[in-house]
Amino acid sequence: MKIDLTTLATESRNTQSESIDMLSTQEMLKVINKEDQKVALAVEKVIPAITQAVDAIVAAFQRGGRLIYCGAGTSGRLGILDASECPPTYGTPREQVVALIAGGHQAILQAVENAEDSLTLGVEDLKNLEFNGNDVLVGIAASGRTPYVVAAINYANSLNATTVALTCNEDSEITKIAKIAIMPVVGAEVVTGSSRMKAGTAQKLVLNMLTTGAMIRSGKVYGNLMVDVEATNQKLVQRQINIVMQATECDNQTASQALKACEGHCKTAIVMVLGKHTATQAKQLLNDNNGFIRNALAKTEIS
């Protein structure tokens, strides 16, 4: 079956790099860098759509739903990267943000032949996760036409779930079927068709915004501090201490003692110090206020 790629911006030829193979190394890198500078501006244009997606994800979390990414190749790997960082950064359950890649675990490191062209694998992967209408599906495909992603979005739609398309081509197939379409159009790649470059960077920026925005709206950030960070190594143990010190302006000893009293939970330690509460009292205040520190502190008129 012939696939027409001529209409895709990500497959077009970039006039700025047509002679890149004849440039010096420094000049070659300048061309790449100049093209990369266009990416953030393309993402800026689609902030309204990203806003819709973030609000939908927050609503899903509030009703016990999940954020599920699906993609193939680079797009799938970017989803895996973003999902895997949520538990250590924000203390989320590992099943709250999950990423699927066409071809499964093997495809993380190497291409799995024809997996992205399957119209059944995406549906099977969602069924294996017991995907349901409370969840949000974000289909990631630079081209916007990947069959694995198209099938997954169609299946999620059949369950009345919120579906989001993340692509770098306007009017692509997934933008027509998803309920929310995020389309940062970055144009032709420096190396024709190499969508791991500008398109991949745009996708990474958007995924950062989706999870970071959703976590902030879920009370997992106080000021700009990641107050649900898990201390899984010595660096993060010290980061927890620093976070409590920065949030409360207390000294190292006070922060360390508070963290010890609440078994290494930053939020609880912060409410303890600022509200002059015991660990038990601070924990209860946070539970009563859905984990939002400012709301918990409002009970003691401190914010």
Side-chain angles (χ1 to χ4, degrees), residues 2-13:
K2 183 179 179 180
I3 301 173
D4 183 11
L5 301 178
T6 59
T7 61
L8 302 180
T10 51
E11 295 289 335
S12 59
R13 195 168 183 190

Side-chain angles (χ1 to χ4, degrees), residues 77 80 101-113 115:
R77 296 182 191 105
I80 289 169
I101 184 170
H105 189 269
Q106 179 185 346
I108 297 172
L109 298 177
Q110 62 187 54
V112 175
E113 188 175 0

Side-chain angles (χ1 to χ4, degrees), residues 177-195:
I177 60 175
K179 295 174 182 176
I180 300 171
I182 302 173
M183 298 174 287
V185 179
V186 296
E189 298 286 4
V190 169
V191 176
T192 306
S194 183
S195 56

